[in-house]
Amino acid sequence: MSYLSSNQLKQYRDKGFISPINILSKEKAKEIRNEIELIERRIPGELEKSGRYNAHLISPLLDEVTHNSKILDAVQSLIGENILVCGTTLFIKNPSEKGFVSYHQDAKYIGLEPHNWVTAWVAITDSNEKNGCMRMWSSSHKDNLKEHDQKFNEGNLLTRGQTVKNVPKEKTTPLILKAGQMSLHHPTIVHGSDLNKSDDRRIGFVIQSYIGTNVKQILGKNSVQLARGIDKFNYHKKIERPKSLLNKNYLKIKKKENDNLQDIFYKGSSKKGSY
Ligand SMILES: O=C(O)CCC(=O)C(=O)O
C-alpha cells in the first residue's frame, strides 16, 4: 500500500509536487533550529557557502530528519523501496540579506540519471510568501529540460545563478508550509523563490535528493547513505550515519563531499551564457 493518498500521487504526476505533508512537530522543528544555530555559534561559517551542503553529517538532529520514516514512506511511494540519501542542503534566508533562488530545474545541473529521484524540502521555520517560500511552475516537469542562463548574480543562492527564461511568475504556486511540514518536488519541475521580507530567518532543510539505487552521478562523484532497502547496484561510496554533534572525522568527510559537489555544480560553467 502507498503511504501517499491517490490524490497526492495524482498531484505529483499532474503538477510535479506535493505540499504540504505533516512530518515533525512544531517543537521538534524548533529543537532542530536550535541545533543549527548552535553549530553556527560554535563554528562560524561552517554552514555558509558550500558549507550549507550535507549538514546532516555533523548534526544528529538533521541526520534524524534525513532518515525519518514518515518521509521515507512518502518517498518510497514515488521512487520505490530501495532508497539512498544523495545529499542535503540548508537553504537559509536571513531577513537582512538579499537571498533568492532563480527559477531552475534541479535535473539540469545535479547530474543524477535516470530521474528516479525526488527532493524533500522540510520547513524548519514557517515558510510563506512574506519570507520567500518556494514557488512551483505547476506541470512544467512534463516538458523537456529547458535552456538555462548562467547569471552568477548577487544574492542568488544557486552556484551559477542558473535561470530559466520566461517563467510566468504570476502563475506559480507558493508552497506555504508551517514549521515541521514538508513538500516533495520532481527533478524537472521549474521552481524558485523570492527574497525574505520578514523580520525572521526562513530555514529550509532539503534532502537533495532521495535517489533510487539505480541512479548514477554522471558529472562526478558523491557518496550516499542507504536510507531504506538494499543496494544491488553499488554505484556510490557509502557513508555511515554520524553518532555525535560536530564529530571531527565527520567535519572532514563533509568538507570533502562538499568540494566534490562544488565540482559537480560548476561543471559546464566555463560555457558563458546559456546552456
Ligand atoms: O529554498 C529555496 O528557496 C529553494 C530550494 C530549491 O531550489 C530546492 O530545494 O530545489
Side-chain angles (χ1 to χ4, degrees):
M1 205 188 78
S2 169
Y3 172 79
L4 294 172
S5 68
S6 50
N7 272 348
Q8 286 172 313
L9 291 170
K10 183 172 178 332
Q11 186 191 349
Y12 191 75
R13 272 195 309 274
D14 292 348
K15 297 190 169 169
F17 60 88
I18 306 172
S19 178
I21 304 174
N22 294 331
I23 297 296
L24 309 169
S25 66
K26 201 168 74 186
E27 293 71 29
K28 189 57 149 184
K30 180 73 176 85
E31 220 185 294
I32 296 168
R33 175 177 181 161
N34 290 344
E35 183 152 295
I36 291 168
E37 293 179 344
L38 177 72
I39 296 174
E40 290 176 321
R41 282 195 304 278
R42 287 233 191 125
I43 314 186
E46 179 61 33
L47 300 180
E48 285 168 23
K49 302 201 170 116
S50 67
R52 67 205 168 109
Y53 306 122
N54 294 316
H56 68 296
L57 297 177
I58 57 167
S59 152
L61 285 183
L62 291 178
D63 168 75
E64 201 180 294
V65 180
T66 306
H67 294 268
N68 177 293
S69 60
K70 275 196 212 167
I71 302 183
L72 290 172
D73 287 344
V75 166
Q76 178 168 342
S77 307
L78 300 173
I79 66 167
E81 62 194 355
N82 299 315
I83 305 171
L84 303 171
V85 174
C86 183
T88 64
T89 307
L90 270 171
F91 277 99
I92 299 181
K93 287 184 189 170
N94 292 318
S96 51
E97 293 165 3
K98 291 197 172 109
F100 71 98
V101 174
S102 52
Y103 283 85
H104 65 283
Q105 291 168 301
D106 296 336
K108 185 75 179 183
Y109 67 94
I110 282 185
L112 297 170
E113 304 273 350
H115 295 161
N116 182 32
W117 47 278
V118 62
T119 300
W121 199 103
V122 183
I124 305 302
T125 61
D126 290 353
S127 184
N128 48 47
E129 291 195 87
K130 185 157 188 203
N131 68 12
C133 64
M134 271 204 300
R135 305 186 70 93
M136 298 282 151
W137 184 4
S138 207
S139 304
S140 56
H141 67 298
K142 292 181 179 165
D143 300 337
N144 292 332
L145 286 179
K146 296 175 190 297
E147 191 172 90
H148 285 55
D149 280 343
Q150 304 183 93
K151 292 190 181 262
F152 296 97
N153 37 358
E154 197 198 336
N156 198 332
L157 299 181
L158 294 188
T159 1
R160 291 192 260 146
Q162 300 93 312
T163 308
V164 171
K165 289 191 234 320
N166 302 325
V167 175
K169 295 207 181 117
E170 63 300 340
K171 290 197 188 139
T172 56
T173 309
L175 300 192
I176 296 169
L177 299 173
K178 289 275 171 213
Q181 293 184 317
M182 76 161 177
S183 60
L184 293 169
H185 68 262
H186 190 279
T188 57
I189 189 158
V190 177
H191 62 287
S193 68
D194 293 327
L195 298 179
N196 178 0
K197 294 187 179 146
S198 76
D199 53 13
D200 193 11
R201 318 179 86 184
R202 190 222 67 170
I203 305 179
F205 175 62
V206 187
I207 299 94
Q208 197 172 43
S209 295
Y210 288 109
I211 66 175
T213 49
N214 63 328
V215 174
K216 287 186 178 166
Q217 173 50 265
I218 59 158
L219 295 177
K221 283 197 173 114
N222 58 255
S223 307
V224 300
Q225 290 174 327
L226 184 63
R228 185 170 274 187
I230 47 167
D231 182 1
K232 285 192 304 208
F233 295 89
N234 270 315
Y235 290 145
H236 315 273
K237 196 173 146 207
K238 302 273 184 333
I239 308 179
E240 293 297 314
R241 294 176 61 180
K243 293 187 179 57
S244 58
L245 181 68
L246 295 175
N247 176 288
K248 282 208 172 70
N249 202 22
Y250 275 88
L251 279 162
K252 280 192 206 140
I253 297 174
K254 172 174 176 275
K255 167 91 178 68
K256 186 164 169 276
E257 285 303 310
N258 293 357
D259 288 346
N260 289 343
L261 208 53
Q262 282 295 93
D263 288 347
I264 290 170
F265 288 168
Y266 275 109
K267 280 263 157 75
S269 65
S270 56
K271 290 183 214 145
K272 292 271 179 276
S274 37
Y275 70 112

